[in-house]
């Protein structure tokens, strides 16, 4: 799916001006600091911002000026927005009974509304017969969504009795049941703790493949962007700042562009090249350079991995250090010293094989070592976070 | 209770029920618009709707009477269409009652719609519900407490109307004499026993209605918590 934007939206204290053309496949992350306009852009795509001017095309079809109910999008709100007066099941059916092609011809006409409003398990059975795999070939069917999102045990519950994670699962399921051509998700995991996030992320990552629809996912969390997305659109001050594969974008933009919430660092891709079971150390091949990372459970050999290395966890040395507890001393080239901020600055480094690293050091260290751009150094890497064990 | 008192009770009950029914329908779009409005019209419209709360009923009744007189445009049009005058008729009472009780319907509904907010309506819209559909299936049910409060308040308020109805209806036994006027007559003629029956009945019924509202509100509150 292709997204072409040329939009402006003016508010008293904010102006969005977004241009560009993007191929949406899999999950595309809309990334940026708070207030950069990412939620506004997402709402605009969904038709919630009728004051927007310009053009917004999906696969060449103009979407701007159409109301939300006329657009084939599923929208997952940050706060879920389940209907409090309806059970989980009726929340889902609210979407399903309004979705195009969700019912076969005989179930779909006169009795459709009545069936859906007073559903009984028996009537449900009839839904599933007609809706399991619909005539139009869309893989989105009621039972499939309930099963994928594991909503069966929740159907009879009321929204206020659900946990945050359950609420978002219902909200994702409900949005899917509108049979959208595009899913829009606005930081659906931001209110969840780490464990709940980890449980839902794979479900989201799986949506494009399982249901055949692209997803645009708003977040300001680097790990979510890396874990989920094939493409990333970076927003800043109401404009699209950069876009491309997440690793590339994170590597090339200055850390300040990612916003103050994001810890400066670098993201790298590699493969599991060996595991020392005794010391629980994983060898990661970064396409030339090798990194040793402590992990408790080893991924299969050859698995694609994404790593994040915070700039604060990288130190620089001119000679390979000896007798030191840090296990990773990677030869690097100093590309640039940048992003001065108080007593600190950041060194942008390239690894053998082209990967990028960032190191945060004091201005004093840079001055006393007389660091020069272009010189060969060793990067001492103290810690690395493994983001994904299977890759996209 | 005398036959004329019973007819006053019956008339009052009919008037209150019809007023409640019509007002809930009329007030819904008005309250909805007010709950969404941000423009400069909102304040004057809100003030206009609240006017019956503070205006002396006799003043309101006076203007309504002028409006209903066959010499006025509206009153003349009504006479032509129906062959009867609006003043001193049941329809006149009903119209006066609708105007007089309007704020009691609009304000609870407006509050309830504001409490629903934009979120659920946007969600409904993203689930392909058109605006009317979304209103009927999301906003209206979520504003259920507002409807219950508005209905009960309007009904109870109608039972007690006096000044406006007297101005417009003229206290014609069997046609426009409501409970409050019959009560006034009994007190004037020092028939306190009859007055007690009507006043006590009003007291009891009104209390029960307001108690129901309070209990309902309590139940909704605990449901939300």
């Amino acid at each position: 799916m292709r997204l072409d934007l040329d939009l402006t939206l003016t508010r008293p204290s904010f102006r969005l001006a977004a241009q560009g053309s993007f191929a949406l496949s899999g999950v595309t992350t809309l990334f940026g600091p708070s207030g950069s306009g990412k939620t506004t852009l997402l709402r605009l795509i969904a038709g919630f911002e009728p004051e927007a001017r310009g053009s917004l095309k999906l696969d060449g079809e103009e979407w701007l000026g159409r109301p939300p109910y006329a657009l084939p999008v599923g929208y997952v709100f940050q706060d879920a927005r389940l209907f409090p007066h309806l059970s989980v099941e009726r929340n889902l059916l609210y979407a399903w009974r309004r979705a195009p092609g969700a019912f076969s011809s005989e179930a779909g006409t006169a009795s459709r509304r009545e069936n859906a409003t007073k559903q009984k398990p028996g009537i449900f059975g009839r839904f599933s017969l007609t809706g399991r795999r619909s005539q139009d070939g869309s893989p989105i069917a009621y039972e499939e969504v309930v099963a994928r999102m594991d909503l069966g045990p929740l159907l009879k519950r009321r929204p206020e009795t659900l946990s945050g994670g359950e609420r978002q699962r219902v909200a994702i399921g409900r949005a899917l049941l509108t049979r959208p051509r595009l899913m829009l998700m606005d930081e659906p995991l931001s209110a969840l703790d780490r464990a709940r996030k980890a449980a839902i992320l794979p479900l989201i990552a799986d949506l494009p493949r399982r249901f055949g629809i692209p997803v645009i996912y708003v977040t300001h969390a680097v790990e979510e962007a890396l874990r989920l997305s094939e493409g990333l659109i970076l927003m800043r001050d109401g404009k699209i700042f950069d876009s491309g594969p997440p690793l590339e974008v994170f590597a090339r933009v200055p850390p300040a562009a990612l916003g103050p919430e994001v810890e400066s660092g670098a993201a790298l891709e590699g493969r599991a090249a060996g595991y020392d079971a005794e010391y629980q150390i994983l060898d990661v091949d970064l396409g030339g350079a090798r990194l040793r990372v402590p992990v408790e459970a080893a991924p299969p050999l050859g698995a694609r991995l994404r790593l994040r290395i915070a700039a604060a966890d990288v130190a620089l040395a001119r000679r390979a250090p000896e007798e030191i507890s840090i296990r990773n001393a990677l030869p690097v080239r100093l590309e640039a010293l940048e992003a001065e901020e108080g007593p600190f600055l950041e060194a942008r480094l390239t690894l053998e094989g082209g990967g990028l690293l960032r190191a945060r050091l004091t201005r004093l260290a840079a001055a006393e070592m007389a660091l020069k751009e272009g010189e060969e150094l060793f990067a001492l890497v103290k810690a690395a976070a493994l983001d994904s064990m299977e890759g996209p | 209770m005398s036959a004329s008192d019973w007819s006053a009770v019956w008339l009052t009950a009919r008037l209150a029920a019809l007023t409640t029914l019509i007002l809930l329908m009329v007030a819904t779009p008005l309250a909805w618009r007010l709950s969404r409005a941000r423009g400069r019209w909102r304040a004057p419209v809100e003030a206009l709707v609240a006017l019956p709360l503070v205006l002396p009923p006799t003043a309101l009744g006076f203007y309504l009477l002028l409006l209903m007189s066959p010499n006025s445009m509206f009153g003349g049009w009504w006479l032509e269409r129906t062959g009867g005058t609006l003043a001193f008729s049941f329809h006149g009472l009903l119209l006066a009652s609708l105007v007089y009780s309007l704020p009691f319907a609009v304000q609870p509904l407006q509050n309830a719609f504001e409490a629903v907010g934009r979120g659920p309506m946007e969600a409904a819209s993203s689930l392909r519900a058109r605006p009317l559909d979304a209103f009927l299936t999301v906003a209206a049910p979520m504003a259920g407490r507002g409807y219950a409060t508005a209905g009960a308040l309007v009904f109870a308020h109608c039972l007690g109307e006096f000044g406006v109805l007297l101005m417009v209806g003229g206290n014609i036994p069997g046609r426009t004499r409501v409970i409050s006027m019959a009560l006034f007559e009994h007190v004037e003629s020092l028939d306190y026993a009859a007055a007690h029956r009507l006043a006590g009945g009003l007291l009891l019924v009104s209390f029960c209605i307001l108690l129901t509202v309070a209990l309902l509100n309590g139940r909704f509150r605990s449901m939300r918590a």
Side-chain angles (χ1 to χ4, degrees), chain B residues 115-183:
Chain B
V116 170
R118 282 171 193 276
M121 291 303 279
E122 281 186 356
S125 179
S126 80
L127 301 174
R128 309 216 169 157
R130 289 165 171 277
L132 183 62
D133 181 8
F135 175 81
L136 293 175
T137 52
V138 176
M142 281 182 74
R145 179 167 64 134
Y147 275 97
T149 308
L153 287 182
V154 168
F155 191 86
H157 186 237
C158 277
L159 296 182
E161 277 173 52
F162 181 67
V164 177
L165 298 186
L166 188 65
M167 292 292 275
V168 169
N171 193 14
I172 304 166
R175 272 185 67 197
T176 61
R177 177 182 288 177
V178 293
I179 296 177
S180 56
M181 296 177 204
L183 175 59

Side-chain angles (χ1 to χ4, degrees), chain B residues 2-137:
Chain B
S2 68
S4 95
D5 277 358
W6 275 118
S7 96
V9 167
W10 169 236
L11 184 73
T12 310
R14 249 187 336 149
L15 185 66
L18 268 175
T19 304
T20 308
L21 207 68
I22 297 172
L23 262 190
L24 286 188
M25 287 190 285
V26 171
T28 292
L30 186 57
W32 179 254
R33 284 302 295 271
L34 282 174
S35 75
R36 306 280 120 162
R38 266 176 281 178
R40 58 203 152 117
W41 287 108
R42 180 180 168 143
V45 173
E46 274 184 341
L48 202 64
V49 168
L51 216 47
L53 288 176
V54 293
L55 213 57
T58 41
L60 189 67
F62 173 61
Y63 283 115
L64 283 169
L65 195 61
L66 287 186
L67 180 79
M68 292 176 192
S69 109
N71 302 327
S72 80
M73 236 169 65
F74 178 70
W77 172 82
W78 181 271
L79 184 64
E80 217 170 276
R81 291 296 300 263
T82 63
T85 58
L86 203 47
F88 312 116
S89 74
F90 181 73
H91 288 113
L93 283 191
L94 185 58
L95 181 65
S97 185
L98 288 173
V99 173
Y100 188 46
S101 290
L102 187 66
F104 290 86
V106 171
Q107 287 179 355
L109 287 182
Q110 186 182 340
N111 289 341
F113 291 146
E114 271 162 13
V116 170
R118 282 171 193 276
M121 291 303 279
E122 281 186 356
S125 179
S126 80
L127 301 174
R128 309 216 169 157
R130 289 165 171 277
L132 183 62
D133 181 8
F135 175 81
L136 293 175
T137 52

Side-chain angles (χ1 to χ4, degrees), chain A residues 183-346:
Chain A
M183 275 288 267
L184 305 174
M185 308 179 94
D186 183 11
E187 307 206 36
L189 307 185
S190 62
L192 305 186
D193 59 43
R194 209 165 238 299
R196 293 227 162 80
K197 258 184 211 174
I200 298 185
L201 269 172
L203 291 176
I204 296 173
D206 203 33
L207 289 179
R209 215 169 344 126
R210 174 77 51 177
F211 296 105
I213 43 173
V215 175
I216 301 181
Y217 184 94
V218 166
T219 185
H220 60 256
V222 179
E223 60 272 21
E224 287 176 30
L226 288 174
R227 171 72 182 76
L228 288 173
S229 55
E230 286 163 36
L232 182 138
I233 299 172
L234 176 63
M235 294 203 62
R236 215 188 159 192
D237 301 328
K239 295 189 186 64
I240 290 171
F241 190 81
D242 199 352
S243 67
L247 284 176
E248 288 177 20
V249 175
F250 285 141
R252 70 178 167 237
V253 302
L258 301 176
E261 297 101 330
V262 175
E263 187 188 27
S264 177
L268 295 165
E269 207 165 67
R271 282 183 187 282
Y275 187 65
D276 181 336
E278 192 194 341
Y279 291 108
Q280 299 180 303
I281 295 291
L282 178 72
D283 245 28
V284 181
D285 180 357
L286 299 172
R290 282 200 165 218
L291 200 66
R292 286 192 274 184
V293 188
V295 286
E296 291 191 4
L301 282 190
R304 282 175 67 197
L305 303 168
R306 277 176 176 176
L307 297 132
R308 261 180 318 124
I309 300 171
D313 289 330
V314 180
L316 292 175
R318 189 157 272 134
R319 282 190 300 275
E322 291 163 17
E323 309 267 325
I324 179 172
S325 68
I326 294 175
R327 292 297 90 195
N328 293 302
L330 310 174
V332 290
R333 209 177 108 90
L334 175 60
E335 295 295 334
L337 292 168
E338 59 189 23
E340 280 196 40
E341 179 201 322
F344 297 101
L345 49 72
E346 274 194 28

